[in-house]
Amino acid sequence: MTMKKIVLMALAACLALGTTGVYASQADDINALRHYFKKKFPTVPFKEFANGSYALSADKRINWESMRDFPPFEDHVAKGEALWNKKFKNGNSFATCLGNDVTKVRNRFPHWNAKDKKVETLEGNIVACQKANGEKPFGLKKGNIAYLSAYIASQANGQKVNVVVPDDKDAQAAYEAGKQFFYAKRGQLNLSCADCHVYSAGMYARGNLLSPVMGHTTHFPVWRGKWAKKKGDGFGTLHRRYGGCNKQVRAKPFKAQGKEYSNMEFFHASMSNGLTIDAPDYRE
Amino acid sequence: MKKMTLKVALLAAMMATSGFAVAMDEDSYRAEHKAATEALNKAKKVGGEWRDSRWKKSTAVKVDGKKMSYLHAAEAYAAKGDYKNAMKYAGIAKFEGEMGYQQAMDQKNAGPRH
Amino acid sequence: MELQVKPLAMAVVVMAAISSVALPQAVAADSAMIEKGKKVAFDRKKGNCLTCHQIAGGSLAGNIGPPLIAVNARFPDRDKLRAFIWDKTESNPYTMMPPFGKHHILSESEIDAITDFVHSL
């Protein structure tokens, strides 16, 4: 490929995404996936991918729509709103760290922190905010963290995901590490995230219809029927889901909000760029 | 008298050899446990650990009604002096550490192919 | 007349003997293996084959892999089939099929049984 061609392609990719200064590899990855899924699911409109497997099966969709008529998570969002409005002992609040306009919080994450050279996530920053203000930090996978994250995300509903990988070597390395994590086979069963959510998307593993990766992060946290059967109240964060998907291939799950999952979120959420935030949501 | 000393000597010899055998079993178990831990640490460094090798929440093996990982099962059996089972589970943990490391190395350059 | 009946009767007796002794015994040995293999294949903690393959007699099967029908037509060579189950990544590193033998997901005897079962389909 000639240099000119590469530049032209990158330019085209930037135009297609309607943004400038996007990391070329990220733009290529997004375009490649869009083409791949368009070929695989020619009748599914792009925006429908935010609905996961419910975009692919009429039967599953009926069940999902009826759950959404009487969402099991309304109380959770209300609890999250109360947490957002509550003052810390020192008089500060989450708004002190995350900004006063709650509608402008969700969509800034995940992002690259150039000073500390790391990916920042919404949940990671919620907990960092508590620590900085002498508050006891939430657990990372369910409960209060999921309530607050759900409220904050719900206030961004209707906005389009737009994860930016800046022109920074370390940021790009973090993105590439997250991408490698997603495509690497792991665990005793030797399966990658991509094995299920790219190459087998649309197929059934037992009764589970495998969702395409594109659209995975638009609606988190989620209320899951399966989680509701366990301890807790069915609600969980994206990193809780990551842990579950690692465990089922018999790989040891990584720490929620650790480097591995945060880097993966940087890549994973990028693959939903251009899709509409609609959180929280119900999942099987 | 003669008979008596013979009996005592026999008993002493039996005790000595059985004690010796236990000590040997314990030694080989300690070595296997160390090898397993080293293999798992090596796998961990490259993000290649498997679920049931030594994860605290693993439910792979049931020992006395409690569910645990292979390495924890090895330790539980060793604590009871059952070095045969302790060896077996330490061996599984070691194998998983080695395979997990190898797998992570094989997947180092994993990426999209679509 | 008598001479003609006798060989026929004898043939019948011999055939009955074969079918009641020789044949069923050979089948019995295999069917125990096949039955064991079926158990291992359907057990969610063992082969869990139904996650990806439709198999006669199993319910709620997935469709990631091909339905397991007429397997012995596709794999006349049992050893090839066994090697495939033992470690499919050997021939295709991208396969969705877990390396049941290589990763010790199943024991060697469980793989023998599962091979017999799948080969009988």
Side-chain angles (χ1 to χ4, degrees), chain A residues 185 187-191 195-196 199-200 202-207 210 250, chain C residues 44-45 48 50-51 60 62-64 89 93 95-96 98-99 103-105:
Chain A
K185 285 174 172 288
Q188 192 180 29
L189 300 189
N190 201 47
L191 290 166
D195 280 335
C196 285
Y199 308 116
S200 304
M203 296 203 225
Y204 283 86
R206 294 266 181 188
L210 294 166
R250 302 188 191 168
Chain C
R44 280 172 190 260
K45 295 215 155 134
N48 199 11
L50 290 168
T51 297
L60 212 73
N63 63 358
I64 293 169
T89 68
T95 184
M96 284 288 286
H103 279 188
H104 292 190
I105 298 163

Side-chain angles (χ1 to χ4, degrees), chain B residues 9-26 81 83:
Chain B
L10 254 168
L11 200 73
M14 264 170 66
M15 276 169 69
T17 48
S18 73
F20 184 63
V22 168
M24 249 182 44
D25 285 353
E26 190 176 345
Y83 290 109

Side-chain angles (χ1 to χ4, degrees), chain A residues 9-43:
Chain A
M9 266 180 63
L11 212 70
C14 288
L15 286 174
L17 292 166
T19 45
T20 50
V22 172
Y23 175 42
S25 166
Q26 183 200 28
D28 287 352
D29 294 339
I30 293 168
N31 279 337
L33 265 185
R34 281 195 197 173
H35 283 122
Y36 178 81
F37 286 127
K38 195 169 178 186
K39 252 172 97 181
K40 205 174 182 117
F41 308 109
T43 60

